[in-house]
Amino acid sequence: MGFGPYLLLATLEGLVMAAVLALTALGLSLVFGVMRVVNVAHGEFFMLGAVLAWAVSNAVGGHPAIGFLAALVVAPLAVGAVALASERLVLRRLNYNPEATIVATIGLLYILQQVALTFYGADARPVVAPFNVRLQLPWFGYSAYKLSVIGFSLLLLGLTWFVLTRTKIGLIMRATQYDRETATAFGIAVDKVYAGVFVAGAMLAAIGAVLVVPIRQAHYLMGHDPLLLSFIVVIIGGLGSLRGTMVAALLVGLSDGILSVFFSPTLAKIVATTAVALVLVFRPQGLFGTAQR
Amino acid sequence: MSERARIAALHLAVIALLFAAQFVLPAYHHGIVSRVMVLAVFAIGYNLVFGYAGMLSLGHAMFFAAGMYGAGLPVYHGGWGIGPAFLFGIACGAVLAAGIGLLALRTSGVAFMIVTMMFGQVAYLLALWFGDWTRGEEGLTIAQDLRVVGPLDLTDPTTRYFVALALFSAALLASLALVRSRFGRTLVAIRENEERTRMLGYDTFRTKLAALTVSGALCAAAGAAYALLFGYMGAGFANVPYSILPLLWVLVGGAATVIGPFVGTLAMFYLTDLSNDLLNRNFPDWDISALGIVGLALVLLILFFPKGVMGTVRARWLPWLP
């Protein structure tokens, strides 16, 4: 295979990565943007989504598509319920203090890993893709499922954008993000908005995870990379900026896909992580964000 | 007793108690306490930054690992003596901390946490990348005959205990002196209100940088001692859990208290050990790991016991506790 096809393959893989990453990172970004807290357990919501997807699709049986669709509905809802419980029982009691929340969500991260290890086990397990069609490209066949992941993710991102910018719910969320006190004064139940945003953020991660399990197997330690990559995306895109998050997800997903095809993944990660840390040091508002008030 | 004498007496009593404990502890606990004393130095270093200066770092494992590899690799590959290797390990940690500080201290709060976590991750990946020298996760064992310095054989449990105690005492007294000095009070002022401290004419950046460097040196001393005393170094010590453990120990013992880090390390060591045994005996197929217990401890602590053991003692009974 020559260089061209190789690059095309890497780009396609990168696009699939970017699609899933955009959903996951958007969840983290929403939570940070509106609630001003960092959810270190975000990667574990992703992991939980993947593990539940395996459990659901396994329990349903029949044609793989039925199991997958069931997982796509049930897993995010279940993860949302877990997120709601942790928000009500832990985060709210801490009054969303940024540093206490970090410590608590670190704890949550390990608890969720332990729960997954106990009930799911240490094995990596695959979910069968809902359909198995190969599209014939000029040089090689490519899984149609992976392409549909990109499409579905774009659809969902568009939907989120629509909700955020064109609906009353979005207006309330943006108002809370802009100024919590004034929002309260205008009769917005900030408390409920926070719960909703936290649940929505976790569900976005879970949907990303369900989409990814037919490509990558579900494992109880799989949450680490999505968390780090989401941090990277959210930082480069500017904390709390939706457009920035999408652009950055594309950038990071593509470069991660392409770099790890051509170079050692460890080296790629070293370079990427250092670069991002330096972005945060020298341009804290992100490459695309604007300085905060 | 004056306050000064009371404080000195309390901390010297802790050291004396540990000295006496060596003669009565059974072999198993003897080994654990040696380990706890070394790791408590790690926690003392972390407490300086997290407890006193109020900076939440999630990358302190890199300083521990810098000390560990800075001391261990020259011994393993270069045949250095124990003494110079130990000092070199500390220097590695201090230089790394100063370098990271110059970059990371441009940020604060949540951004500081993310930046330190990312640098910590880079350090871990570097330990894996240089696997030819470090053997990555699998790690290296330093041979017994390399761990002898003069008449001291660091593989002997009693010697090991006393060396660990000496290191711990030095770190404890140093941190006591440090936090009671003008420097320590400036750190607390920065934690409480950085803007105001700057307005009063203090160079807060330089103070924080100094605190981070000292903290890095202390953590590196713990790492170096760990490699030389227990003869093992692995990339696992540079990974995220080892950045979170000192945070947990400090929280349990009480942030911004001098004895807190030791109390927390000791308590968590036994708590994870005992609960791990207990749970795995009663629920053998639950795969309980130490990290699950750590996670539960973190959530419960931050919800119901945010001051930790010594912090509560200070708030309730001993307001003079440093």
Side-chain angles (χ1 to χ4, degrees), chain B residues 189-190 192-202 204:
Chain B
I190 291 174
E192 294 303 322
N193 194 331
E194 182 165 354
E195 282 301 309
R196 191 174 297 174
T197 315
R198 195 179 307 137
M199 199 198 74
L200 289 172
Y202 291 93
T204 58

Side-chain angles (χ1 to χ4, degrees), chain B residues 4-86:
Chain B
R4 207 187 162 86
R6 244 186 321 202
I7 290 170
L10 176 72
H11 292 87
L12 289 174
V14 170
I15 293 170
L17 201 68
L18 283 168
F19 183 84
Q22 128 79 15
F23 299 103
V24 291
L25 281 176
Y28 174 68
H29 298 281
H30 189 268
I32 286 194
V33 175
S34 310
R35 211 169 281 251
V36 164
M37 284 191 291
V38 172
L39 292 175
V41 175
F42 186 17
I44 288 174
Y46 187 79
N47 189 27
L48 203 61
V49 164
F50 171 70
Y52 288 97
M55 299 186 282
L56 177 57
S57 150
L58 286 186
H60 260 58
M62 67 181 146
F63 307 136
F64 187 81
M68 177 168 255
Y69 284 125
L73 290 180
V75 172
Y76 187 88
H77 292 291
W80 285 29
I82 296 295
F86 181 67

Side-chain angles (χ1 to χ4, degrees), chain B residues 46-316:
Chain B
Y46 187 79
N47 189 27
L48 203 61
V49 164
F50 171 70
Y52 288 97
M55 299 186 282
L56 177 57
S57 150
L58 286 186
H60 260 58
M62 67 181 146
F63 307 136
F64 187 81
M68 177 168 255
Y69 284 125
L73 290 180
V75 172
Y76 187 88
H77 292 291
W80 285 29
I82 296 295
F86 181 67
L87 294 178
F88 185 69
I90 296 180
C92 284
V95 169
L96 179 66
I100 296 289
L102 279 176
L103 292 170
L105 286 174
R106 296 170 60 106
T107 65
S108 62
V110 168
F112 180 77
M113 168 229 131
I114 298 179
V115 168
T116 48
M117 188 173 91
M118 297 214 149
F119 281 130
Q121 191 65 23
V122 171
Y124 167 66
L125 291 169
L126 282 174
L128 294 183
W129 177 248
F130 289 106
D132 289 348
W133 285 284
T134 63
R135 304 216 52 76
E137 291 276 9
E138 183 191 326
L140 296 168
T141 316
I142 303 176
Q144 197 160 359
D145 56 321
L146 289 173
R147 291 194 276 138
V148 176
V149 49
L152 292 177
D153 177 7
L154 297 184
T155 56
D156 170 59
T158 310
T159 316
R160 195 188 281 170
Y161 189 97
F162 282 123
V163 172
L165 178 60
L167 176 73
F168 168 69
S169 313
L172 186 77
L173 297 178
S175 84
L176 180 61
L178 214 55
V179 303
R180 286 176 58 75
S181 68
R182 176 185 285 267
F183 173 71
R185 292 180 194 287
T186 318
L187 283 184
V188 173
I190 291 174
R191 178 188 72 199
E192 294 303 322
N193 194 331
E194 182 165 354
E195 282 301 309
R196 191 174 297 174
T197 315
R198 195 179 307 137
M199 199 198 74
L200 289 172
Y202 291 93
D203 186 343
T204 58
F205 182 83
R206 202 186 287 175
T207 314
K208 288 197 290 185
L209 186 62
L212 193 62
T213 309
V214 175
S215 164
L218 279 168
C219 296
Y226 199 95
L228 299 175
L229 289 177
F230 303 103
Y232 172 79
M233 46 190 170
F237 285 105
N239 206 354
V240 183
Y242 270 84
S243 290
I244 290 168
L245 281 173
L247 167 69
L248 172 70
W249 295 331
V250 167
L251 278 173
V252 172
T257 60
V258 174
I259 327 179
F262 172 72
V263 174
T265 313
L266 190 70
M268 271 327 288
F269 226 86
Y270 274 102
L271 190 69
T272 17
D273 210 40
L274 292 177
S275 53
N276 219 357
D277 282 355
L278 196 71
L279 288 169
N280 278 322
R281 202 173 320 124
N282 293 315
F283 308 101
D285 46 345
W286 277 26
D287 286 323
I288 304 287
S289 78
L291 284 178
I293 297 164
V294 166
L296 196 61
L298 276 175
V299 172
L300 293 178
L301 267 173
I302 203 75
L303 277 178
F304 303 111
F305 200 51
K307 283 187 187 135
V309 176
M310 297 317 286
T312 308
V313 167
R314 170 160 63 193
R316 290 255 173 100

Side-chain angles (χ1 to χ4, degrees), chain A residues 44-61 63-80 82 116 119-120 124-130 145 203-220 222:
Chain A
E44 303 319 306
F45 289 140
F46 182 88
M47 177 276 290
L48 217 53
V51 165
L52 285 171
W54 177 85
V56 170
S57 68
N58 224 35
V60 170
H63 190 271
I66 302 170
F68 181 82
L69 285 178
L72 197 54
V73 176
V74 175
L77 285 176
V79 171
V82 173
F119 293 102
Y120 172 80
R125 298 180 184 138
V127 170
V128 184
Y145 173 73
M203 285 176 75
L204 280 171
I207 293 174
V210 177
L211 293 178
V212 97
V213 272
I215 305 170
R216 288 186 186 175
Q217 304 188 335
H219 185 257
Y220 83 104
M222 74 189 298

